[in-house]
Amino acid sequence: MQSELILMAHPAFGVLAILAAVWVFAEAITNNATSRGRLRMMSLACAGLVWLSYLVGGYWYVVYYAADKALIKAGPWPFAHGFVMEVKEHIFFSMLLLSSYLPIAVFSLTAGKQALKPVVLWVSAWIVVLGLTMEGAGAFISMGAKVALLATQSTGDTP
Amino acid sequence: MSDTGIGNYNRAFALSFAITSLLSALLVVLKEQNEDTVLAWMKAATGHHWITHGVLVVVVFILLGWLLAQTKLGSRLTGNGLSAVISGSVVLSGVVIAGYFI
C-alpha cells in the first residue's frame, strides 16, 4: 500500500508542476507590476514540485521498481521498460535542471531584465512539454505492467 | 562587449543547463556501452547507477554555472539566442537518449 501511494505521489507532483509552469508562461506574457509576485511564487512552486516528483519517483524507482521491471520485460510489452522507462528516467534530468533554472530567470525578469522574457517563456514551455511526456510515459509503463499481469493470469503463471 | 540585458548568472546557468543536459545524454550512452566499467562504477558509487547519474548532473550543473559566471562565454547572446541554445539542448539530448534506446 505504501509503495502504491508513493508511486501515485510522483505523477501528482508532476501534474502540479506542469500547472505551475503553465501559470508562469501565462504570467510572463503580461509581466506587469501586479503579476510579478505570482510569477516568482509559481516559478519556485514549479521547481519545488519537480524536485518533489524527482525525489519521490526516484525513491520508488530505486526501492520498488525491480519487481515491476522483471514483470514488464517478461510480458507482452517489454518496450515499456526497454524504451519508455529508459528514456523517461534519463530525460527527466533535463526537466529537473530546467525547473531549477526557471526561478533564476524569473527573478531576474521580474527585477527588470526584460530581455529574459523569451527565455522564461521557452523554459516554462519546455517544462510543460517534458512534463506531459513524462506523464504519458508513466501511463505506458503502468500499462506494460498491467498487460504483463493479465498475461500471467490468462496463462495461469505466477508473476 | 555589448550588454544584452541577460545578466551574468542567467547566461551562465542557462549555458550550464544546455551543456549539462547534453553531457547527461552522452553519459547515458557511455554507461550503457560500458556496463563492466562505467555502469559498474556508477552502481558502486551510490548503490544505484541512476542515483549517481542524478548526483553528477546536479553537481555539474551547479559547478559549471558558477565557473561560466566567471567567464564571458556567450555574453553576446540575446534572450532569443539563449532560448535557442536551451531549446537545441533539450531536443538534441532527447534525440540522443531516445535514439540510443530505440
Side-chain angles (χ1 to χ4, degrees):
Chain A
M1 183 65 180
Q2 186 195 357
S3 73
E4 285 83 0
L5 286 175
I6 293 169
L7 181 57
M8 288 300 99
H10 169 58
F13 285 134
V15 165
L16 292 173
I18 292 168
L19 290 175
V22 170
W23 195 326
V24 168
F25 185 92
E27 297 276 16
I29 292 172
T30 50
N31 182 33
N32 55 29
T34 55
S35 66
R36 280 173 197 150
R38 292 192 298 270
L39 250 176
R40 291 177 180 181
M41 193 171 64
M42 282 302 120
S43 70
L44 288 172
C46 180
L49 287 162
V50 171
W51 270 93
L52 276 173
S53 181
Y54 167 64
L55 292 173
V56 169
Y59 175 79
W60 187 88
Y61 173 68
V62 169
V63 175
Y64 297 107
Y65 180 63
D68 292 55
K69 175 181 169 181
L71 184 69
I72 293 168
K73 286 174 78 171
W77 280 24
F79 64 88
H81 171 78
F83 179 74
V84 182
M85 180 52 126
E86 292 284 8
V87 171
K88 179 181 189 283
E89 74 185 53
H90 290 111
I91 286 183
F92 197 100
F93 292 129
S94 293
M95 187 173 157
L96 184 71
L97 296 185
L98 271 180
S99 68
S100 302
Y101 172 68
L102 183 65
I104 300 173
V106 163
F107 273 68
S108 294
L109 173 68
T110 53
K113 291 188 182 301
Q114 292 300 316
L116 281 164
K117 187 172 175 177
V119 176
V120 170
L121 290 173
W122 275 101
V123 169
S124 54
W126 276 119
I127 291 170
V128 173
V129 170
L130 290 175
L132 291 173
T133 305
M134 299 295 110
E135 297 289 341
F140 260 93
I141 296 159
S142 297
M143 187 57 77
K146 184 178 176 180
V147 294
L149 282 170
L150 287 171
T152 58
Q153 280 187 347
S154 63
T155 58
D157 294 339
T158 50
Chain B
M1 186 186 72
S2 60
D3 181 13
T4 58
I6 296 295
N8 207 28
Y9 278 92
N10 268 293
R11 170 189 58 81
F13 279 94
L15 290 177
S16 177
F17 160 76
I19 296 167
T20 308
S21 184
L22 286 173
L23 287 177
S24 173
L26 294 176
L27 181 59
V28 171
V29 177
L30 188 70
K31 73 178 179 182
E32 295 293 338
Q33 286 291 312
N34 299 279
E35 290 191 6
D36 296 335
T37 52
V38 180
L39 191 65
W41 172 80
M42 289 176 74
K43 283 179 182 171
T46 60
H48 199 291
H49 69 91
W50 191 72
I51 297 175
T52 308
H53 198 133
V55 170
L56 285 173
V57 161
V58 172
V59 169
V60 169
F61 173 66
I62 294 169
L63 281 180
L64 199 57
W66 180 80
L67 281 172
L68 287 169
Q70 317 304 313
T71 74
K72 297 193 185 310
L73 184 70
S75 56
R76 288 162 63 182
L77 281 168
T78 61
N80 284 328
L82 210 54
S83 302
V85 171
I86 290 168
S87 299
S89 173
V90 171
V91 172
L92 194 56
S93 51
V95 166
V96 168
I97 292 168
Y100 180 77
F101 288 109
I102 207 161

mmCIF file with all atom_site columns, all heavy atoms in Angstrom, chain A residues 71 75-76 143-157 159:
data_model
loop_
_atom_site.group_PDB
_atom_site.id
_atom_site.type_symbol
_atom_site.label_atom_id
_atom_site.label_alt_id
_atom_site.label_comp_id
_atom_site.label_asym_id
_atom_site.label_entity_id
_atom_site.label_seq_id
_atom_site.pdbx_PDB_ins_code
_atom_site.Cartn_x
_atom_site.Cartn_y
_atom_site.Cartn_z
_atom_site.occupancy
_atom_site.B_iso_or_equiv
_atom_site.pdbx_formal_charge
_atom_site.auth_seq_id
_atom_site.auth_comp_id
_atom_site.auth_asym_id
_atom_site.auth_atom_id
_atom_site.pdbx_PDB_model_num
ATOM 1   N N   . LEU A 1 71  ? 8.749  -8.048  -14.389 1.00 0.00 ? 71  LEU A N   1
ATOM 2   C CA  . LEU A 1 71  ? 7.419  -8.401  -14.887 1.00 0.00 ? 71  LEU A CA  1
ATOM 3   C C   . LEU A 1 71  ? 7.193  -7.837  -16.292 1.00 0.00 ? 71  LEU A C   1
ATOM 4   O O   . LEU A 1 71  ? 6.749  -8.548  -17.205 1.00 0.00 ? 71  LEU A O   1
ATOM 5   C CB  . LEU A 1 71  ? 6.376  -7.841  -13.915 1.00 0.00 ? 71  LEU A CB  1
ATOM 6   C CG  . LEU A 1 71  ? 4.907  -8.160  -14.177 1.00 0.00 ? 71  LEU A CG  1
ATOM 7   C CD1 . LEU A 1 71  ? 4.651  -9.635  -13.921 1.00 0.00 ? 71  LEU A CD1 1
ATOM 8   C CD2 . LEU A 1 71  ? 4.029  -7.315  -13.254 1.00 0.00 ? 71  LEU A CD2 1
ATOM 9   N N   . GLY A 1 75  ? 6.696  -9.664  -20.069 1.00 0.00 ? 75  GLY A N   1
ATOM 10  C CA  . GLY A 1 75  ? 5.335  -9.570  -20.584 1.00 0.00 ? 75  GLY A CA  1
ATOM 11  C C   . GLY A 1 75  ? 5.266  -9.220  -22.058 1.00 0.00 ? 75  GLY A C   1
ATOM 12  O O   . GLY A 1 75  ? 6.286  -9.168  -22.752 1.00 0.00 ? 75  GLY A O   1
ATOM 13  N N   . PRO A 1 76  ? 4.041  -8.944  -22.543 1.00 0.00 ? 76  PRO A N   1
ATOM 14  C CA  . PRO A 1 76  ? 3.836  -8.642  -23.969 1.00 0.00 ? 76  PRO A CA  1
ATOM 15  C C   . PRO A 1 76  ? 4.359  -7.265  -24.399 1.00 0.00 ? 76  PRO A C   1
ATOM 16  O O   . PRO A 1 76  ? 4.480  -7.018  -25.593 1.00 0.00 ? 76  PRO A O   1
ATOM 17  C CB  . PRO A 1 76  ? 2.321  -8.704  -24.152 1.00 0.00 ? 76  PRO A CB  1
ATOM 18  C CG  . PRO A 1 76  ? 1.726  -9.060  -22.857 1.00 0.00 ? 76  PRO A CG  1
ATOM 19  C CD  . PRO A 1 76  ? 2.780  -9.002  -21.804 1.00 0.00 ? 76  PRO A CD  1
ATOM 20  N N   . MET A 1 143 ? 0.798  0.527   -18.095 1.00 0.00 ? 143 MET A N   1
ATOM 21  C CA  . MET A 1 143 ? 0.096  -0.417  -18.969 1.00 0.00 ? 143 MET A CA  1
ATOM 22  C C   . MET A 1 143 ? 0.983  -1.628  -19.271 1.00 0.00 ? 143 MET A C   1
ATOM 23  O O   . MET A 1 143 ? 0.481  -2.757  -19.395 1.00 0.00 ? 143 MET A O   1
ATOM 24  C CB  . MET A 1 143 ? -0.323 0.289   -20.263 1.00 0.00 ? 143 MET A CB  1
ATOM 25  C CG  . MET A 1 143 ? -1.212 -0.547  -21.166 1.00 0.00 ? 143 MET A CG  1
ATOM 26  S SD  . MET A 1 143 ? -2.722 -1.134  -20.361 1.00 0.00 ? 143 MET A SD  1
ATOM 27  C CE  . MET A 1 143 ? -3.726 0.340   -20.382 1.00 0.00 ? 143 MET A CE  1
ATOM 28  N N   . GLY A 1 144 ? 2.294  -1.405  -19.358 1.00 0.00 ? 144 GLY A N   1
ATOM 29  C CA  . GLY A 1 144 ? 3.226  -2.517  -19.570 1.00 0.00 ? 144 GLY A CA  1
ATOM 30  C C   . GLY A 1 144 ? 3.147  -3.518  -18.439 1.00 0.00 ? 144 GLY A C   1
ATOM 31  O O   . GLY A 1 144 ? 3.149  -4.744  -18.670 1.00 0.00 ? 144 GLY A O   1
ATOM 32  N N   . ALA A 1 145 ? 3.047  -3.009  -17.194 1.00 0.00 ? 145 ALA A N   1
ATOM 33  C CA  . ALA A 1 145 ? 2.919  -3.900  -16.032 1.00 0.00 ? 145 ALA A CA  1
ATOM 34  C C   . ALA A 1 145 ? 1.549  -4.582  -16.024 1.00 0.00 ? 145 ALA A C   1
ATOM 35  O O   . ALA A 1 145 ? 1.434  -5.775  -15.722 1.00 0.00 ? 145 ALA A O   1
ATOM 36  C CB  . ALA A 1 145 ? 3.115  -3.097  -14.752 1.00 0.00 ? 145 ALA A CB  1
ATOM 37  N N   . LYS A 1 146 ? 0.510  -3.816  -16.414 1.00 0.00 ? 146 LYS A N   1
ATOM 38  C CA  . LYS A 1 146 ? -0.848 -4.367  -16.404 1.00 0.00 ? 146 LYS A CA  1
ATOM 39  C C   . LYS A 1 146 ? -1.011 -5.512  -17.413 1.00 0.00 ? 146 LYS A C   1
ATOM 40  O O   . LYS A 1 146 ? -1.547 -6.573  -17.066 1.00 0.00 ? 146 LYS A O   1
ATOM 41  C CB  . LYS A 1 146 ? -1.855 -3.256  -16.720 1.00 0.00 ? 146 LYS A CB  1
ATOM 42  C CG  . LYS A 1 146 ? -3.308 -3.688  -16.653 1.00 0.00 ? 146 LYS A CG  1
ATOM 43  C CD  . LYS A 1 146 ? -4.235 -2.514  -16.941 1.00 0.00 ? 146 LYS A CD  1
ATOM 44  C CE  . LYS A 1 146 ? -5.686 -2.958  -16.974 1.00 0.00 ? 146 LYS A CE  1
ATOM 45  N NZ  . LYS A 1 146 ? -6.603 -1.823  -17.254 1.00 0.00 ? 146 LYS A NZ  1
ATOM 46  N N   . VAL A 1 147 ? -0.543 -5.302  -18.636 1.00 0.00 ? 147 VAL A N   1
ATOM 47  C CA  . VAL A 1 147 ? -0.704 -6.361  -19.640 1.00 0.00 ? 147 VAL A CA  1
ATOM 48  C C   . VAL A 1 147 ? 0.163  -7.574  -19.296 1.00 0.00 ? 147 VAL A C   1
ATOM 49  O O   . VAL A 1 147 ? -0.186 -8.710  -19.636 1.00 0.00 ? 147 VAL A O   1
ATOM 50  C CB  . VAL A 1 147 ? -0.399 -5.855  -21.078 1.00 0.00 ? 147 VAL A CB  1
ATOM 51  C CG1 . VAL A 1 147 ? -1.417 -4.830  -21.519 1.00 0.00 ? 147 VAL A CG1 1
ATOM 52  C CG2 . VAL A 1 147 ? 1.019  -5.342  -21.220 1.00 0.00 ? 147 VAL A CG2 1
ATOM 53  N N   . ALA A 1 148 ? 1.271  -7.329  -18.601 1.00 0.00 ? 148 ALA A N   1
ATOM 54  C CA  . ALA A 1 148 ? 2.107  -8.457  -18.170 1.00 0.00 ? 148 ALA A CA  1
ATOM 55  C C   . ALA A 1 148 ? 1.374  -9.278  -17.118 1.00 0.00 ? 148 ALA A C   1
ATOM 56  O O   . ALA A 1 148 ? 1.389  -10.515 -17.155 1.00 0.00 ? 148 ALA A O   1
ATOM 57  C CB  . ALA A 1 148 ? 3.434  -7.935  -17.612 1.00 0.00 ? 148 ALA A CB  1
ATOM 58  N N   . LEU A 1 149 ? 0.710  -8.587  -16.164 1.00 0.00 ? 149 LEU A N   1
ATOM 59  C CA  . LEU A 1 149 ? -0.066 -9.291  -15.133 1.00 0.00 ? 149 LEU A CA  1
ATOM 60  C C   . LEU A 1 149 ? -1.247 -10.036 -15.755 1.00 0.00 ? 149 LEU A C   1
ATOM 61  O O   . LEU A 1 149 ? -1.527 -11.179 -15.383 1.00 0.00 ? 149 LEU A O   1
ATOM 62  C CB  . LEU A 1 149 ? -0.574 -8.294  -14.090 1.00 0.00 ? 149 LEU A CB  1
ATOM 63  C CG  . LEU A 1 149 ? 0.447  -7.822  -13.064 1.00 0.00 ? 149 LEU A CG  1
ATOM 64  C CD1 . LEU A 1 149 ? -0.116 -6.668  -12.241 1.00 0.00 ? 149 LEU A CD1 1
ATOM 65  C CD2 . LEU A 1 149 ? 0.856  -8.971  -12.137 1.00 0.00 ? 149 LEU A CD2 1
ATOM 66  N N   . LEU A 1 150 ? -1.921 -9.384  -16.712 1.00 0.00 ? 150 LEU A N   1
ATOM 67  C CA  . LEU A 1 150 ? -3.052 -10.035 -17.389 1.00 0.00 ? 150 LEU A CA  1
ATOM 68  C C   . LEU A 1 150 ? -2.588 -11.274 -18.143 1.00 0.00 ? 150 LEU A C   1
ATOM 69  O O   . LEU A 1 150 ? -3.278 -12.292 -18.166 1.00 0.00 ? 150 LEU A O   1
ATOM 70  C CB  . LEU A 1 150 ? -3.731 -9.046  -18.352 1.00 0.00 ? 150 LEU A CB  1
ATOM 71  C CG  . LEU A 1 150 ? -4.556 -7.938  -17.693 1.00 0.00 ? 150 LEU A CG  1
ATOM 72  C CD1 . LEU A 1 150 ? -4.989 -6.909  -18.729 1.00 0.00 ? 150 LEU A CD1 1
ATOM 73  C CD2 . LEU A 1 150 ? -5.776 -8.536  -16.993 1.00 0.00 ? 150 LEU A CD2 1
ATOM 74  N N   . ALA A 1 151 ? -1.412 -11.187 -18.743 1.00 0.00 ? 151 ALA A N   1
ATOM 75  C CA  . ALA A 1 151 ? -0.872 -12.325 -19.492 1.00 0.00 ? 151 ALA A CA  1
ATOM 76  C C   . ALA A 1 151 ? -0.576 -13.494 -18.557 1.00 0.00 ? 151 ALA A C   1
ATOM 77  O O   . ALA A 1 151 ? -0.836 -14.656 -18.898 1.00 0.00 ? 151 ALA A O   1
ATOM 78  C CB  . ALA A 1 151 ? 0.391  -11.911 -20.240 1.00 0.00 ? 151 ALA A CB  1
ATOM 79  N N   . THR A 1 152 ? -0.055 -13.189 -17.357 1.00 0.00 ? 152 THR A N   1
ATOM 80  C CA  . THR A 1 152 ? 0.236  -14.275 -16.417 1.00 0.00 ? 152 THR A CA  1
ATOM 81  C C   . THR A 1 152 ? -1.052 -14.898 -15.888 1.00 0.00 ? 152 THR A C   1
ATOM 82  O O   . THR A 1 152 ? -1.107 -16.093 -15.627 1.00 0.00 ? 152 THR A O   1
ATOM 83  C CB  . THR A 1 152 ? 1.076  -13.775 -15.212 1.00 0.00 ? 152 THR A CB  1
ATOM 84  O OG1 . THR A 1 152 ? 0.365  -12.723 -14.563 1.00 0.00 ? 152 THR A OG1 1
ATOM 85  C CG2 . THR A 1 152 ? 2.436  -13.284 -15.647 1.00 0.00 ? 152 THR A CG2 1
ATOM 86  N N   . GLN A 1 153 ? -2.109 -14.072 -15.742 1.00 0.00 ? 153 GLN A N   1
ATOM 87  C CA  . GLN A 1 153 ? -3.394 -14.607 -15.279 1.00 0.00 ? 153 GLN A CA  1
ATOM 88  C C   . GLN A 1 153 ? -4.009 -15.532 -16.318 1.00 0.00 ? 153 GLN A C   1
ATOM 89  O O   . GLN A 1 153 ? -4.532 -16.591 -16.003 1.00 0.00 ? 153 GLN A O   1
ATOM 90  C CB  . GLN A 1 153 ? -4.375 -13.470 -14.999 1.00 0.00 ? 153 GLN A CB  1
ATOM 91  C CG  . GLN A 1 153 ? -4.145 -12.812 -13.644 1.00 0.00 ? 153 GLN A CG  1
ATOM 92  C CD  . GLN A 1 153 ? -5.226 -11.802 -13.312 1.00 0.00 ? 153 GLN A CD  1
ATOM 93  O OE1 . GLN A 1 153 ? -6.002 -11.409 -14.165 1.00 0.00 ? 153 GLN A OE1 1
ATOM 94  N NE2 . GLN A 1 153 ? -5.261 -11.391 -12.057 1.00 0.00 ? 153 GLN A NE2 1
ATOM 95  N N   . SER A 1 154 ? -3.911 -15.115 -17.591 1.00 0.00 ? 154 SER A N   1
ATOM 96  C CA  . SER A 1 154 ? -4.544 -15.915 -18.649 1.00 0.00 ? 154 SER A CA  1
ATOM 97  C C   . SER A 1 154 ? -3.811 -17.228 -18.887 1.00 0.00 ? 154 SER A C   1
ATOM 98  O O   . SER A 1 154 ? -4.396 -18.204 -19.303 1.00 0.00 ? 154 SER A O   1
ATOM 99  C CB  . SER A 1 154 ? -4.627 -15.113 -19.943 1.00 0.00 ? 154 SER A CB  1
ATOM 100 O OG  . SER A 1 154 ? -3.327 -14.806 -20.394 1.00 0.00 ? 154 SER A OG  1
ATOM 101 N N   . THR A 1 155 ? -2.493 -17.249 -18.577 1.00 0.00 ? 155 THR A N   1
ATOM 102 C CA  . THR A 1 155 ? -1.741 -18.496 -18.761 1.00 0.00 ? 155 THR A CA  1
ATOM 103 C C   . THR A 1 155 ? -1.667 -19.300 -17.470 1.00 0.00 ? 155 THR A C   1
ATOM 104 O O   . THR A 1 155 ? -1.217 -20.435 -17.470 1.00 0.00 ? 155 THR A O   1
ATOM 105 C CB  . THR A 1 155 ? -0.306 -18.197 -19.223 1.00 0.00 ? 155 THR A CB  1
ATOM 106 O OG1 . THR A 1 155 ? 0.323  -17.357 -18.245 1.00 0.00 ? 155 THR A OG1 1
ATOM 107 C CG2 . THR A 1 155 ? -0.280 -17.520 -20.576 1.00 0.00 ? 155 THR A CG2 1
ATOM 108 N N   . GLY A 1 156 ? -2.105 -18.682 -16.350 1.00 0.00 ? 156 GLY A N   1
ATOM 109 C CA  . GLY A 1 156 ? -2.079 -19.371 -15.059 1.00 0.00 ? 156 GLY A CA  1
ATOM 110 C C   . GLY A 1 156 ? -0.730 -19.327 -14.385 1.00 0.00 ? 156 GLY A C   1
ATOM 111 O O   . GLY A 1 156 ? -0.525 -19.928 -13.335 1.00 0.00 ? 156 GLY A O   1
ATOM 112 N N   . ASP A 1 157 ? 0.232  -18.597 -14.971 1.00 0.00 ? 157 ASP A N   1
ATOM 113 C CA  . ASP A 1 157 ? 1.558  -18.479 -14.357 1.00 0.00 ? 157 ASP A CA  1
ATOM 114 C C   . ASP A 1 157 ? 1.479  -17.531 -13.169 1.00 0.00 ? 157 ASP A C   1
ATOM 115 O O   . ASP A 1 157 ? 0.647  -16.630 -13.130 1.00 0.00 ? 157 ASP A O   1
ATOM 116 C CB  . ASP A 1 157 ? 2.577  -17.917 -15.350 1.00 0.00 ? 157 ASP A CB  1
ATOM 117 C CG  . ASP A 1 157 ? 2.816  -18.876 -16.493 1.00 0.00 ? 157 ASP A CG  1
ATOM 118 O OD1 . ASP A 1 157 ? 2.522  -20.073 -16.305 1.00 0.00 ? 157 ASP A OD1 1
ATOM 119 O OD2 . ASP A 1 157 ? 3.287  -18.431 -17.562 1.00 0.00 ? 157 ASP A OD2 1
ATOM 120 N N   . PRO A 1 159 ? 3.185  -14.397 -11.323 1.00 0.00 ? 159 PRO A N   1
ATOM 121 C CA  . PRO A 1 159 ? 4.088  -13.340 -11.803 1.00 0.00 ? 159 PRO A CA  1
ATOM 122 C C   . PRO A 1 159 ? 5.449  -13.380 -11.105 1.00 0.00 ? 159 PRO A C   1
ATOM 123 O O   . PRO A 1 159 ? 5.547  -13.838 -9.995  1.00 0.00 ? 159 PRO A O   1
ATOM 124 C CB  . PRO A 1 159 ? 3.340  -12.054 -11.437 1.00 0.00 ? 159 PRO A CB  1
ATOM 125 C CG  . PRO A 1 159 ? 2.342  -12.433 -10.440 1.00 0.00 ? 159 PRO A CG  1
ATOM 126 C CD  . PRO A 1 159 ? 2.028  -13.871 -10.621 1.00 0.00 ? 159 PRO A CD  1
#
